[in-house]
């Protein structure tokens, strides 16, 4: 810019010098006095110089600044502005260029913000996203897609989808989306020897431009493994409930029909059958009660009734039940409970924990066995430990013992009246108190349940 300005000044000086020379040649025959001629030429020179300076300052320099600013705007620098004094139409033009620069700057900022927001949404969505153009080249993959299928963005972006994505069903989804130009949905699974099967749902959606021409497709991939597992659990739950109800209902119906057919005339048979009917109806009642309890805990666990309780007082209320049941099964009951241990918990649900774990220990412990109950403080928790010398649990079965209706020994637990829901209820109650439950077992030697309940409830702390 300085070189351009210097060339312009040199050009104007040359013109001025030429004008002065010509004026001198024209005035020489007229003016006889050389001094007067010099004075006239000097005067003309000054006037011309002033005129040139005015033109340069008023028009040439502002136009130079305008040109410089426009060059910067064309380069993408929207923060540049025209500065310096200007007059007339050039001043108005400078103001409009500055307004244009400010508008472009604001648009750039808004575009950058929107781009960052869109990028944040794409990268943090829980679904895998893939953007494919009309030629089949991948333009975008998000973080979730990479976590599902591995590799890096550089391994996908810029490549044809069928060269870098190995799953054949995804290929089929993309092809169907392009051919039919409509939304396509399908599902597939990935099996592995080392990891459990993972289930996915893929949706392909076509992308059209303003002229309704196909410009590509977007793939959305969901991990539906959890939904599949819930579906399996739901089916198993319905099957288990049906099975658990079928046996006692069949017994009640069968023995009732026998009585109605004439067996009621025999007092001994009548008494025996009525006892069986009563026992089976009680079994149905226990199953329904446990189902209602489990449903209520799952639905309303944030609304447990938290109060200050003493664990030894709670246990004292259950001790007669424990003693009677242990005596009936000819099992030795050992108790080691520290006095005056307080905690913030739901008293009724703590009783349910003790009752269910104790009954589970009794059900799986043979005669002449031992069930031990110990309670003490451990740091910020109250530890409830219930051990037995029963049949124990296989290592492979330990992760499943808190599932609904799961039994280590089905014949034994059904014979003792268990519903198969006790430990599932215990786990939900413990988790609702923000505690934890641990199990240690050795086949043929016994099992130990360790339950940790916080002394200070998170619910009361949140209220405070």
């Amino acid at each position: 810019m300085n070189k351009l300005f210097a060339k312009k000044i040199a050009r104007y000086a040359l013109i001025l010098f030429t004008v002065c020379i010509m004026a001198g040649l024209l005035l020489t025959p007229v003016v006889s006095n050389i001094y007067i001629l010099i004075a006239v030429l000097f005067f003309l020179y000054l006037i011309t110089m002033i005129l040139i300076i005015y033109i340069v300052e008023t028009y040439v320099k502002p136009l130079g600044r305008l040109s410089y600013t426009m060059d910067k705007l064309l380069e993408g620098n929207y923060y540049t502005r025209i500065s310096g004094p200007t007059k007339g139409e050039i001043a108005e033009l400078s103001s409009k260029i500055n307004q244009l620069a400010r508008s472009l700057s604001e648009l750039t900022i808004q575009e950058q913000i929107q781009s960052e927001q869109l990028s944040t949404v794409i990268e943090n969505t829980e679904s895998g996203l893939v953007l494919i153009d009309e030629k089949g080249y991948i333009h975008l993959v998000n973080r979730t897609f990479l976590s599902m299928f591995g590799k890096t963005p550089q391994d996908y972006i810029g490549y044809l989808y069928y060269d870098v994505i190995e799953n054949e069903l995804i290929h089929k989804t993309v092809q169907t989306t392009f051919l039919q130009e409509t939304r396509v949905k399908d599902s597939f699974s990935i099996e592995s020897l080392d990891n459990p099967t993972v289930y996915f749902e893929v949706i392909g959606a076509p992308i059209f431009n303003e002229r309704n021409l196909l410009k590509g497709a977007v793939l959305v991939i969901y991990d539906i493994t959890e939904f599949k597992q819930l579906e399996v659990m739901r089916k198993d739950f319905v099957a288990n409930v049906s099975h658990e109800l079928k046996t006692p209902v069949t017994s009640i119906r069968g023995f009732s029909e026998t009585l109605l057919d004439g067996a009621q005339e025999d007092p001994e048979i009548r008494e025996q059958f009525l006892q069986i009917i009563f026992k089976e109806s009680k079994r149905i009642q226990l199953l329904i009660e446990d189902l209602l309890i489990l449903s209520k805990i799952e639905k309303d666990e944030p609304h447990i009734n938290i109060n200050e309780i003493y664990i030894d007082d709670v246990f004292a209320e259950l001790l007669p039940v424990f003693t009677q049941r242990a005596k009936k099964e000819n099992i030795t009951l050992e108790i080691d409970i520290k006095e005056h241990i307080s905690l913030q918990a739901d008293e009724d649900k703590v009783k349910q924990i003790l009752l269910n774990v104790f009954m589970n220990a009794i059900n799986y412990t043979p005669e002449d066995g031992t069930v031990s109950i110990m309670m003490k403080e451990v740091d910020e928790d109250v530890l409830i430990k219930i051990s037995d010398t029963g049949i124990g649990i296989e290592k492979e079965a330990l992760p499943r013992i808190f599932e609904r209706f799961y039994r280590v020994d089905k014949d034994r637990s059904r014979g003792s009246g268990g519903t198969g829901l006790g430990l599932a209820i215990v786990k939900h109650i413990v988790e609702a108190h923000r505690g934890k439950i641990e199990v240690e077992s050795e086949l043929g030697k016994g099992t130990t349940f360790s339950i940790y309940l916080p002394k200070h409830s998170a619910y009361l702390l949140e209220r405070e």
Side-chain angles (χ1 to χ4, degrees):
M1 184 65 204
N2 291 333
K3 290 181 179 179
L4 181 61
F5 182 69
K7 288 180 180 179
K8 289 180 179 180
I9 294 297
R11 192 181 304 120
Y12 287 124
L14 181 59
I15 293 171
L16 174 61
F17 182 73
T18 305
V19 169
C20 292
I21 295 253
M22 291 179 65
L25 293 173
L26 291 172
L27 291 173
T28 299
V30 178
V31 182
S32 57
N33 193 325
I34 189 64
Y35 296 106
I36 296 174
L37 178 62
I38 292 172
V40 170
L41 291 175
F42 181 72
F43 180 73
L44 290 173
Y45 178 81
L46 286 178
I47 293 175
T48 309
M49 280 296 294
I50 292 171
L51 183 60
I52 290 174
I53 291 171
Y54 174 78
I55 293 172
V56 169
E57 293 294 333
T58 306
Y59 298 102
V60 177
K61 282 187 177 181
L63 287 173
R65 289 194 293 267
L66 289 175
S67 177
Y68 175 79
T69 303
M70 291 302 296
D71 289 340
K72 290 296 182 181
L73 291 177
L74 291 172
E75 292 173 2
N77 182 5
Y78 302 129
Y79 297 99
T80 187
R81 299 290 184 272
I82 299 173
S83 59
T86 54
K87 298 179 182 179
E89 294 181 356
I90 292 182
E92 186 179 350
L93 181 60
S94 299
S95 176
K96 290 181 179 179
I97 290 176
N98 284 339
Q99 290 178 7
L100 175 63
R102 281 191 292 270
S103 299
L104 291 172
S105 177
E106 291 173 2
L107 286 174
T108 303
I109 293 172
Q110 292 176 3
E111 183 182 354
Q112 184 178 359
I113 291 172
Q114 291 175 356
S115 177
E116 290 176 355
Q117 291 174 341
L118 180 61
S119 178
T120 301
V121 171
I122 290 173
E123 285 299 319
N124 291 282
T125 183
E126 294 184 1
S127 306
L129 293 176
V130 184
L131 183 63
I132 302 172
D133 67 15
E134 70 274 17
K135 295 180 180 179
Y137 288 93
I138 296 176
H139 285 253
L140 180 146
V141 291
N142 71 341
R143 188 183 306 165
T144 306
F145 176 85
L146 297 176
S147 67
M148 291 176 176
F149 300 99
K151 299 183 181 180
T152 65
Q154 291 74 22
D155 295 317
Y156 293 100
I157 296 175
Y159 292 93
L160 291 167
Y161 71 90
Y162 49 78
D163 286 338
V164 291
I165 298 178
E166 298 176 357
N167 190 278
E168 293 292 335
L169 192 137
I170 295 180
H171 297 176
K172 181 182 175 182
T173 301
V174 176
Q175 292 162 7
T176 306
T177 302
F178 277 116
L179 288 173
Q180 299 182 0
E181 296 187 2
T182 186
R183 185 173 175 269
V184 179
K185 182 170 71 172
D186 212 330
S187 59
F188 63 94
S189 62
I190 297 178
E191 298 180 1
S192 172
L193 295 176
D194 301 328
N195 300 308
T197 302
V198 182
Y199 296 89
F200 295 99
E201 182 178 79
V202 56
I203 297 176
I207 300 173
F208 300 97
N209 63 11
E210 63 278 0
R211 292 182 294 173
N212 205 32
L213 296 176
L214 185 67
K215 296 299 293 181
V218 60
L219 295 181
V220 184
I221 303 173
Y222 303 93
D223 186 340
I224 58 171
T225 304
E226 185 176 349
F227 296 105
K228 283 285 185 180
Q229 292 172 345
L230 288 174
E231 180 68 14
V232 171
M233 288 176 62
R234 184 189 66 79
K235 291 179 179 178
D236 290 345
F237 177 73
V238 172
N240 285 327
V241 170
S242 302
H243 180 74
E244 293 294 331
L245 289 173
K246 182 179 179 180
T247 303
V249 167
T250 302
S251 296
I252 291 172
R253 180 175 178 177
F255 286 112
S256 299
E257 288 177 348
T258 304
L259 288 172
L260 291 172
D261 288 342
Q264 60 180 322
E265 302 300 330
D266 188 331
E268 185 176 344
I269 293 177
R270 182 174 66 239
E271 177 68 21
Q272 180 185 358
F273 283 12
L274 288 175
Q275 286 291 340
I276 294 172
I277 291 171
F278 174 76
K279 181 180 178 182
E280 294 299 331
S281 65
K282 186 177 180 182
R283 180 174 166 186
I284 292 175
Q285 181 185 6
L286 290 174
L287 176 61
I288 293 172
E289 286 177 354
D290 279 353
L291 284 170
L292 291 174
I293 290 169
L294 189 58
S295 175
K296 189 174 187 302
I297 291 172
E298 291 177 339
K299 181 180 178 182
D300 301 325
E301 67 173 18
H303 305 292
I304 58 178
N305 186 23
I306 300 294
N307 292 297
E308 188 84 18
I309 63 173
Y310 287 91
I311 196 69
D312 50 328
D313 292 340
V314 174
F315 180 76
E317 296 182 27
L318 297 175
L319 183 57
V321 177
F322 291 173
T323 304
Q324 182 184 5
R325 184 61 188 271
K327 184 177 181 180
K328 180 181 177 181
E329 302 293 337
N330 196 23
I331 292 172
T332 302
L333 185 61
E334 296 180 351
I335 300 171
D336 179 15
I337 300 176
K338 305 299 180 184
E339 295 183 352
H340 306 301
I341 300 176
S342 67
L343 75 156
Q344 296 168 346
D346 187 316
E347 182 175 350
D348 291 335
K349 289 183 172 54
V350 171
K351 288 180 183 177
Q352 203 160 22
I353 291 173
L354 293 169
L355 189 62
N356 285 352
V357 178
F358 174 80
M359 290 303 179
N360 186 79
I362 288 288
N363 290 339
Y364 290 100
T365 301
E367 288 189 1
D368 300 324
T370 302
V371 173
S372 304
I373 302 175
M374 185 267 287
M375 301 183 192
K376 65 178 182 178
E377 293 180 274
V378 177
D379 298 327
E380 294 299 316
D381 296 324
V382 173
L383 171 60
I384 302 172
K385 184 176 284 189
I386 299 179
S387 305
D388 63 64
T389 58
I391 62 175
I393 306 170
E394 294 181 355
K395 186 177 180 180
E396 294 77 12
L398 281 175
R400 299 193 60 194
I401 61 173
F402 295 107
E403 294 179 11
R404 301 172 186 181
F405 298 110
Y406 183 80
R407 291 182 170 93
V408 176
D409 187 334
K410 297 180 180 178
D411 294 333
R412 186 183 188 87
S413 58
R414 282 202 178 94
S416 59
T419 64
L421 296 172
L423 291 181
I425 292 172
V426 168
K427 183 181 179 183
H428 278 286
I429 294 175
V430 172
E431 289 178 348
H433 283 79
R434 305 295 191 266
K436 64 178 180 178
I437 183 168
E438 298 174 350
V439 186
E440 296 178 2
S441 185
E442 189 174 348
L443 202 60
K445 293 188 177 181
T447 304
T448 298
F449 285 86
S450 299
I451 301 158
Y452 296 85
L453 296 177
K455 290 189 290 185
H456 304 289
S457 170
Y459 297 111
L460 292 184
L461 292 175
E462 288 171 3
R463 290 181 206 163
E464 295 173 0

